[in-house]
Amino acid sequence: MVMIAAALQEEARVALDLAARRSRVRLPGCSLWTLSRPAAQYLLLKTGAGPHRAADALQKALASWQPRFLLNIGYAGALRPVLRTGDLVIAARVSAGAGQRALECCAAERLQAVAARKGLSARTGLVRTVDRVLCGAVEKGRLESAEGVLAVDMETFALAQTALRFGIPFGSVRAVADEAGDAIGGAGWERKLEAARHALGVFIEAYFEDLEAAGRR
């Protein structure tokens, strides 16, 4: 079974809304659901925001469940001007800072192919996990220049590290909410979030269809 992990309720809802039936799993300290579709079942974990919450929630979930693949979804902040709101960022590697070894992510080519089939704009590369929100263009610019990072979020490295400890293959797809020059919460912020949610929804539906078609072959 594939597990989807999302930090926020609004990110998790993208997958919840695609289920024909969903059932809450009783697991202390975890917000976990099984999602049933006509041809497959999935697990959905809402981790909470930030690296510590993400790692803790996933560790609790993996103590009871052994998914065959973990896919992290959610929003990201773009560091490169070429990325626009609603574009997808597929992690080939994820780092937690200069001097720390980046972790390899799995299935980037397959995830890119899923996005391409739906005509979604997607780029694959290095993602950086930070422990706080980067609000301004100057701060983002310094990080991009120093490390060549595509985008930032607050959970991916922690999830990848935890999945690695449990021997679970890990991938990540994030939708850009704030562009490189944007301030979070600035003009048009709700519109940007809606564009990111829409792109994630289109991708996740296509991803489910891809997995289900493979299961029928």
Side-chain angles (χ1 to χ4, degrees):
M1 192 181 298
V2 170
M3 178 183 285
I4 309 293
L8 306 176
Q9 183 67 26
E10 64 189 86
E11 296 167 336
R13 186 163 295 283
V14 169
L16 281 169
D17 289 346
L18 293 171
R21 188 172 69 256
R22 59 204 193 199
S23 178
R24 186 72 178 260
V25 177
R26 293 186 179 180
L27 194 62
C30 267
S31 295
L32 185 67
W33 295 263
T34 57
L35 308 182
S36 299
R37 286 170 53 88
Q41 279 197 326
Y42 305 89
L43 289 164
L44 173 66
L45 174 67
K46 183 173 75 71
T47 66
H52 301 299
R53 287 192 184 97
D56 183 61
L58 182 58
Q59 185 166 312
K60 288 174 180 174
L62 295 183
S64 297
W65 295 82
Q66 189 77 9
R68 61 184 174 89
F69 185 72
L70 174 66
L71 179 66
N72 168 228
I73 64 169
Y75 303 144
L79 297 189
R80 293 195 182 177
V82 70
L83 288 166
R84 295 288 181 248
T85 297
D87 286 354
L88 299 180
V89 175
I90 298 168
R93 295 179 302 135
V94 57
S95 77
Q100 188 157 1
R101 182 177 67 90
L103 301 178
E104 299 291 328
C105 298
C106 299
E109 288 186 6
R110 181 178 185 177
L111 298 172
Q112 181 84 41
V114 170
R117 281 198 292 275
K118 287 295 184 179
L120 295 167
S121 176
R123 290 180 180 262
T124 300
L126 177 63
V127 171
R128 168 80 181 271
T129 292
V130 294
D131 59 6
R132 60 187 177 83
V133 176
L134 301 184
C135 295
V138 173
E139 194 173 24
K140 290 180 183 179
R142 281 198 295 265
L143 189 57
E144 191 278 331
S145 297
E147 298 185 35
V149 182
L150 282 178
V152 292
D153 64 40
M154 294 177 62
E155 296 83 28
T156 300
F157 185 86
L159 293 172
Q161 193 174 51
T162 304
L164 181 65
R165 285 208 313 273
F166 281 83
I168 308 296
F170 173 86
S172 177
V173 178
R174 296 268 182 160
V176 171
D178 50 306
E179 298 177 8
D182 289 342
I184 290 179
W189 180 241
E190 287 302 320
R191 176 186 57 79
K192 289 177 180 291
L193 286 180
E194 182 53 40
R197 273 194 295 269
H198 175 74
L200 273 182
V202 172
F203 176 84
I204 291 300
E205 184 168 28
Y207 179 66
F208 284 165
E209 290 169 352
D210 183 72
L211 292 175
E212 291 155 16
R216 288 193 292 267
R217 290 199 289 266

